[in-house]
Amino acid sequence: MPKESKQYVCQSCGGVSAKWQGQCPHCAEWNTLVEEIVSKNITAPGAAMHSSSRGKSGGRRQLELAPLDAKTPAPPRLQTGIAEFDRTCGGGLVQGAALLIGGDPGIGKSTLLLQVTAQMAGNLPTLYITGEESLDQIRLRAQRLGVIGAPLTLAAETDLTTILNTLKVGGYGLVIIDSIQTVHWDALDSTAGTVAQVRACAGELIRMAKQLGFTLMLVGHVTKEGTIAGPRVLEHMVDCVLYFEGDRNHQFRILRTVKNRFGATDEIGVFTMTQTGLQEVTNPSALFLAERDHPVSGTAVFAGMEGTRPLLVEIQALVAPTGYGTPRRAVVGWDSARLAMILAVLESRAGMSFAQLDVYLNVAGGLRITEPAADLAVAAALVSAATGEPLPERQVIMGEIGLSGEIRAVNQLDLRLKESAKLGFTDAVIPTLRDAQLPNAKIAVKQLRELRQFISSIEKTSSPLRGEVTHEVRRRG
Ligand code: TYD
Ligand code: MG
């Protein structure tokens, strides 16, 4: 008889508790603990292959010590031929690495992976295992994508043991599991998609990938809370985590590196979803700059960086007099706490009060930016919106704002300026360079130390923001 005991696993953080409680003691989420039977003599389906040293000799075994400076070649990279994808992975797929691709349902993960694998299958034996769709559905998608002739092997399966048995003998170089939430290991009592199942199944698959040296790509759905499979447990287990994001109302999709043991994070790849699948976007700045032929107040262009690549985006702000009570602050594509901070700095360091105004802030094109370097562009858009004074049309703005109203340095200034010049911008507002050399770019540069300096340069003398909200704003409201 297998010896059994019970434990309670949080479906949000994966924490284990000995008894049931309403609130998880690890992450303080409510009602997330689920009972699990722990059977003491479970052995992994693949365990026979990798258990070795724990047996008889395990008691006396010591660590194998190694020097740091031993020659290690960089891991060979397998290019997929889809440049946007390769860059996000840090230069191509690494043999034996495990990748997790997360994203909302319907965002295009299966489409992306089918395009990637169809490209790879010619050079590398590739197996695409689906637990979500039928084989016919995949074939129909392949037809739509124009990759139906690719030498790709498909399987529709959700049973972990069957999958591992197949992988053991298949000699594959690349394996896709779409999605990890559908895979089920019958040694565990819980249903597919629970933390226990996802963790155990992913663990076994990753172990086999390392052992046999195939590249493993797991698809993971993002939950309402925005993390993969509820817990972040999966993110710790894999070598590389990519998020596929995008707005359903926009065509473009962004593949973002969140973690990469073999390369840089914060890298993005930009695609558009078309009738015939995902197309690479090689010049994304053009996509995120709103098109217009005359200057409008409340917009500022931010020269941002996404990973190693510069990306120009338009920040749009709108202010309107508050009707009743607390003014509204609505933000799309930026951090609302950061907006509150900028408004506070504008008020206490530059004397501009937005207390009687509703504020709406939007990053054009549906992009989400996280860089503090966008602060100054946000402040510029806000001031321009409130004064009704458009900013110079061909101007880019960058700089972080500190709490004392100082404008702080940004990294990668030369790349930002070169990209701006390339896209036809003629002026740039940047933080004061203290010791650094001004990069050589074909753009006129204005260096600023203080937010106040900047505001006086865009503000009309009769600013509606000083003291009372004026007729100007009221009229527009
Ligand atoms: P899918 O790859 O199935 O999403 P996921 O695997 O992330 O759940 O993509 C689903 C959406 O993509 C679906 O709404 C239809 C759209 N789509 C296109 O617009 N063009 C195409 O060529 C394909 C294959 C899908
Ligand atoms: Mg899918």
Side-chain angles (χ1 to χ4, degrees):
M1 268 292 283
K3 205 169 148 222
E4 280 188 355
S5 67
K6 284 179 188 168
Q7 64 180 20
Y8 297 86
V9 179
C10 172
Q11 300 300 296
S12 174
C13 71
V16 178
S17 309
K19 58 182 197 321
W20 193 86
Q21 302 167 63
Q23 188 180 24
C24 171
H26 305 280
C27 69
E29 282 289 319
W30 288 91
N31 298 324
T32 52
L33 296 197
V34 169
E35 179 184 298
E36 247 175 48
I37 312 278
V38 197
S39 181
K40 285 282 151 61
N41 55 0
I42 291 179
T43 41
M49 302 180 58
H50 42 69
S51 70
S52 54
S53 48
R54 243 180 294 151
K56 304 163 251 138
S57 62
R60 256 167 286 135
R61 229 172 71 89
Q62 287 195 359
L63 294 176
E64 274 172 38
L65 306 174
L68 174 64
D69 66 350
K71 289 264 177 300
T72 305
R77 299 274 185 175
L78 305 162
Q79 248 94 46
T80 63
I82 300 178
E84 294 291 301
F85 184 85
D86 290 339
R87 199 191 39 254
T88 19
C89 302
L93 298 174
V94 176
Q95 206 188 5
L99 274 84
L100 175 65
I101 301 195
D104 290 335
I107 204 71
K109 300 181 293 299
S110 304
T111 307
L112 177 69
L113 288 186
L114 192 57
Q115 286 183 250
V116 167
T117 47
Q119 288 272 346
M120 295 296 282
N123 311 327
L124 195 68
T126 303
L127 176 61
Y128 188 112
I129 303 172
T130 177
E132 307 216 321
E133 291 161 300
S134 70
L135 296 184
D136 280 337
Q137 277 175 307
I138 300 212
R139 291 194 188 104
L140 284 174
R141 177 180 294 137
Q143 263 168 25
R144 216 135 89 82
L145 301 175
V147 297
I148 193 75
L152 176 66
T153 314
L154 302 179
E157 184 56 64
T158 56
D159 180 58
L160 179 73
T161 317
T162 314
I163 293 174
L164 292 176
N165 288 340
T166 312
L167 296 185
K168 247 180 257 176
V169 297
Y172 296 105
L174 175 62
V175 176
I176 315 295
I177 308 281
D178 187 1
S179 66
I180 187 65
Q181 276 108 340
T182 59
V183 181
H184 180 258
W185 183 9
D186 54 15
L188 295 181
D189 212 30
S190 40
T191 50
T194 54
V195 175
Q197 283 284 357
V198 166
R199 186 173 43 197
C201 293
E204 288 307 310
L205 286 162
I206 292 166
R207 197 137 60 163
M208 188 165 280
K210 304 269 174 223
Q211 200 171 31
L212 301 182
F214 61 81
T215 305
L216 176 69
M217 292 202 226
L218 304 173
V219 172
H221 292 299
V222 166
T223 58
K224 286 198 297 299
E225 292 76 33
T227 49
I228 294 172
R232 300 202 86 103
V233 283
L234 266 187
E235 296 190 5
H236 296 300
M237 298 168 70
V238 295
D239 301 304
C240 179
V241 179
L242 306 176
Y243 270 83
F244 205 35
E245 327 169 319
D247 189 325
R248 253 167 232 277
N249 303 320
H250 289 93
Q251 274 201 326
F252 75 88
R253 300 280 180 275
I254 289 178
L255 189 65
R256 191 185 289 277
T257 323
V258 175
K259 161 180 174 177
N260 195 352
R261 286 186 185 148
F262 302 107
T265 52
D266 293 331
E267 208 56 76
I268 66 165
V270 184
F271 299 88
T272 51
M273 181 62 94
T274 68
Q275 289 289 315
T276 53
L278 292 158
Q279 304 284 331
E280 297 179 67
V281 177
T282 39
N283 181 9
S285 293
L287 196 69
F288 298 117
L289 291 175
E291 298 142 28
R292 72 169 57 86
D293 31 18
H294 58 96
V296 180
S297 68
T299 68
V301 177
F302 166 53
M305 289 296 297
E306 290 285 349
T308 55
R309 183 156 64 166
L311 185 63
L312 266 52
V313 282
E314 186 176 293
I315 314 262
Q316 306 176 332
L318 180 71
V319 297
T322 304
Y324 302 98
T326 328
R328 274 188 68 109
R329 270 87 180 90
V331 191
V332 179
W334 210 52
D335 183 19
S336 52
R338 197 105 197 148
L339 172 66
M341 191 198 91
I342 302 289
L343 291 175
V345 174
L346 280 170
E347 170 140 20
S348 41
R349 306 290 177 192
M352 309 197 116
S353 174
F354 288 77
Q356 307 296 319
L357 298 171
D358 288 344
V359 174
Y360 302 87
L361 189 81
N362 178 37
V363 177
L367 190 72
R368 202 185 151 72
I369 42 181
T370 49
E371 268 193 294
D375 290 353
L376 190 58
V378 169
L382 289 169
V383 174
S384 164
T387 56
E389 194 67 5
L391 296 165
E393 206 182 348
R394 305 268 92 198
Q395 181 186 63
V396 292
I397 301 172
M398 65 209 87
E400 181 181 343
I401 298 178
L403 287 182
S404 62
E406 84 275 19
I407 298 172
R408 305 170 65 111
V410 298
N411 58 9
Q412 319 254 39
L413 190 62
D414 51 339
L415 284 176
R416 296 177 200 256
L417 292 178
K418 282 197 181 114
E419 175 80 357
S420 309
K422 202 171 88 189
L423 286 163
F425 287 84
T426 52
D427 295 275
V429 177
I430 67 168
T432 302
L433 296 169
R434 287 170 206 276
D435 327 308
Q437 274 267 308
L438 190 65
N440 185 16
K442 293 191 188 72
I443 192 163
V445 167
K446 184 166 167 189
Q447 301 185 34
L448 293 178
R449 205 176 284 273
E450 291 283 328
L451 181 60
R452 217 187 312 221
Q453 277 176 291
F454 182 53
I455 286 166
S456 47
S457 74
I458 45 177
E459 200 185 15
K460 262 191 171 169
T461 34
S462 58
S463 166
L465 284 168
R466 304 227 181 255
E468 280 294 288
V469 177
T470 65
H471 57 279
E472 222 237 300
V473 173
R474 285 198 199 288
R475 193 161 19 86
R476 279 188 291 140

